[in-house]
Amino acid sequence: MSSSVNVDAVILAAGLSSRMQSPKPLLELGPETFLERTIHMLKNGGCRYIVAVLNAHDDWTQRLADAAGAAVVINDQAESEQIDSLRVGIRALPPDWDNVAVLPVDVPLVMDDTVKLLVEVVEAEQPMLTLPFHNGVAGHPVMLGRQLEQEIMTGMWEEGVRSIIMSHARQLREVKVVDPGILIDIDSKEDYWRYIQEKNR
């Protein structure tokens, strides 16, 4: 029996990658870019519809997302915050969405099975807010229920998704996972080369 809960996804990839000094979505993980990996991971994990929020400066990134099976939307405000990209992504979801997995493109090492587990929990329980935890530490992706839509779209969230999580800590559904990839944020050249070196050992 198919679930009546529609779990979709938004990939946040509109940043200008100033610390990396090259587009994060195009960094490579083996045969895939970060952008391709995150799209495939969310799709393999059971997300129905995937939106990639990109900036307007890289046409190649847009073509790559489209080829990998994501809908492409543009956040053309260069100085905008993470919450602005999330709102752009949510507006592009199908109207019958029930829950959205939110994943920054620089967290590409999450396992497909982790996404599957999160989707299963959301389908079974329909919590307002769901987070994976590895060794007691919260990571990505963040699963946001439709109940939060009005707050997301209108609230003053200075720290983006983090502020939403803090505001609803009592409603948080914690899901324990064995996946350290939920915690690995490849945010700088140093982070990236450290990962490459560890991978090649």
Side-chain angles (χ1 to χ4, degrees):
M1 180 185 300
S2 62
S3 171
S4 60
V5 179
N6 296 319
V7 183
D8 299 318
V10 170
I11 298 171
L12 302 175
L16 297 179
S17 306
S18 56
R19 291 187 64 191
M20 189 67 73
Q21 298 179 333
S22 59
K24 289 181 188 176
L26 298 181
L27 293 174
E28 294 180 351
L29 287 172
E32 297 180 303
T33 63
F34 280 24
L35 183 58
E36 290 171 309
R37 170 64 195 134
T38 51
I39 292 170
H40 294 153
M41 168 227 305
L42 292 164
K43 187 177 293 185
N44 294 340
C47 293
R48 177 187 65 158
Y49 187 86
I50 299 166
V51 174
V53 184
L54 308 175
N55 64 55
H57 303 290
D58 194 338
D59 183 59
W60 172 244
T61 303
Q62 297 169 36
R63 293 199 299 270
L64 198 65
D66 181 69
V72 174
V73 292
I74 303 299
N75 179 356
D76 56 8
Q77 302 299 316
E79 302 303 320
S80 65
E81 302 295 333
Q82 181 197 67
I83 191 67
D84 299 307
S85 284
L86 176 57
R87 288 168 177 158
V88 169
I90 285 177
R91 290 189 192 103
L93 293 175
D96 61 345
W97 72 274
D98 297 306
N99 194 286
V100 59
V102 181
L103 183 69
V105 77
D106 54 10
V107 188
L109 300 175
V110 179
M111 296 167 55
D112 296 4
D113 284 346
T114 295
V115 180
K116 287 180 184 176
L117 178 58
L118 292 169
V119 169
E120 288 171 0
V121 169
V122 166
E123 290 176 341
E125 303 176 22
Q126 300 185 48
M128 177 183 293
L129 178 64
T130 308
L131 276 177
F133 279 72
H134 178 69
N135 290 340
V137 182
H140 293 282
V142 179
M143 313 291 288
L144 301 174
R146 186 70 181 256
Q147 310 98 301
L148 291 168
E149 181 181 20
Q150 185 66 23
E151 290 182 57
I152 294 169
M153 302 307 285
T154 62
M156 299 293 290
W157 305 111
E158 293 185 1
E159 294 185 69
V161 174
R162 183 190 300 272
S163 295
I164 297 171
I165 294 169
M166 293 173 62
S167 178
H168 292 281
R170 292 185 178 182
Q171 288 82 33
L172 175 61
R173 172 64 162 90
E174 298 184 8
V175 179
K176 293 181 181 179
V177 300
V178 294
D179 179 7
I182 71 166
L183 306 177
I184 300 175
D185 180 349
I186 302 178
D187 192 44
S188 66
K189 280 188 173 181
E190 291 75 19
D191 294 335
Y192 181 59
W193 288 113
R194 187 181 308 116
Y195 165 75
I196 295 298
Q197 290 169 356
E198 291 174 357
K199 189 74 172 176
N200 290 335
R201 282 177 185 170

